Amino acid sequence: MKIRRIIDQMTPAQIIVAYYFLAVMIATLLFSLPIALQDGVHLPFIDALFLAVSAVSVTGLSVVNITETFSTTGYFIMLFVMQFGGIGVMTLSTFIWLIFRKRIGFKERKLIMADQNQLFFSGLVKMIREILILFLIVEGIGALVLWLYLFHYYPSVSEAFIQALYMSVSATTNAGFDIVGNSLIPFAGDYFIQFINILLIIFGSIGYAVLIEVKAFLTQKPSDPVFHFSLYTKLTTATFFALVVIGTLLILLLEFNHFFNGKSWTDSFFYALFQSVTTRNAGLATMDVSQFTNPTLLFIGLLMFIGASPSSVGGGIRTTTFAINLLFLYNYARGSQTIKVFNREIHEDDVKKSVVVTMIATIVCGLGIFSLSITEPFSIMEIVFEVCSAFGTTGLSLGITASLSMFGKITVIVLMFIGRVGILSFIFLGGEKEKEHYRYPKERVIIG
């Protein structure tokens, strides 16, 4: 009863953070179980905690070799934790409530809103049900297609199935973990596997609300009213694919006389395309990204910092935040007092949130870079890349993760956790926004 009273006094943001913290603790215990590890392998607590946060936040950074550390049972435990982290704590909780016919009350709906970055109460439970069904269907189709195809690579049906299932879940949840031992590098010349993984990555990172609206558009009847996509769907989809296209072209351009020198145009294109898509949040790679030049690595770091779309499996500041910031700068430079896009005007509260999220994210990542530059013996490029990857819950690395000190691991753990839960949840950890009861006279200050 005492615990129930404490929970009732907590804000939705505080409860969400507490839920994810509890999930991390449970995952840490599961990863430490003897049955999850190979014979003779000992996993220190800090490494188990690191893996737990990385799996729950679907980041994919790892301080150990997954294939050399975990048993087959451990693989399935990791698979479950990735699934939990990808779908989200409130999606699974709501599904369990529905199974046991528990009433989804006001408090639960506020939690769903906080976890899924939603603005309205209406249709939340239906949305959660559709998210879970869509997620499982796509993962199932992806696993089946990959399983049938991976017969070319693996001698047994069971081994091909485990690899296909793991690859499908890892790509769809954007977790980035693999049991191949070297990400997707062994499949660098297999465009079919890359294409399927690209589709699964996009599905997980483009945003659940987008998927639900697309499903509603495709399944509408001729007698239904004319379907209109929301501003969120238009803005996030346009930004998402613009980043993919620009990312692909810039990587091709920057590496034309370097990594891509001597490679065919198809190899170069798929290398650039996959690395551009994976920066949305996936962390899978078809090459060793440390072979890229510094300008490319900096650009990839920026893409990881932006991250995926809101209400998806991804982290970072999110695509809509980035888009609104650009629109704000463009309109302000033109002297406009409002932001208009797709024949709609963006609410000023959303503009403020976008600026605040970007500023706090920059400060958080800046502190992470500063701290690691003091304690870790790596180049500033390696540290910047690792921090952006952790905050964006991407999982790409230049190979320094396993060599981090205890302090370095804790720093990256915090960044991954913040990236998964979201900046806004941490802003409101101290409580909900209070209404202003009085105002002071306004006065101008000199700027710039």
Side-chain angles (χ1 to χ4, degrees), residues 177-246:
F177 286 104
D178 72 278
I179 53 175
V180 175
N182 209 7
S183 195
L184 293 183
I185 292 176
F187 306 106
D190 194 320
Y191 301 145
F192 180 78
I193 284 185
Q194 291 182 50
F195 178 71
I196 296 299
N197 275 272
I198 285 172
L199 291 180
L200 294 173
I201 290 167
I202 291 173
F203 176 88
S205 58
I206 199 168
Y208 303 136
V210 174
L211 298 174
I212 291 171
E213 286 195 31
V214 171
K215 173 180 170 287
F217 173 74
L218 295 175
T219 57
Q220 66 176 336
K221 299 174 183 177
S223 58
D224 291 340
V226 178
F227 188 89
H228 294 284
F229 286 103
S230 67
L231 176 60
Y232 161 79
T233 293
K234 292 177 182 177
L235 186 61
T236 194
T237 303
T239 308
F240 186 97
F241 286 107
L243 287 171
V244 169
V245 172
I246 292 171

Side-chain angles (χ1 to χ4, degrees), residues 9 34 54 81 87 108 142 167 242 244 282 311 331 366 397 419 424 442:
Q9 293 172 358
S54 188
V81 176
I87 293 177
E108 288 80 9
M167 191 180 293
V244 169
S311 186
N331 281 274
S397 177
L424 288 177
K442 291 181 180 179

Side-chain angles (χ1 to χ4, degrees), residues 87-88 91 111-118 127-128 131 208 311:
I87 293 177
T91 304
L111 291 175
I112 296 171
M113 284 180 63
D115 190 43
Q116 295 296 332
N117 294 318
Q118 296 299 305
M127 180 194 75
I128 291 295
I131 287 172
Y208 303 136
S311 186

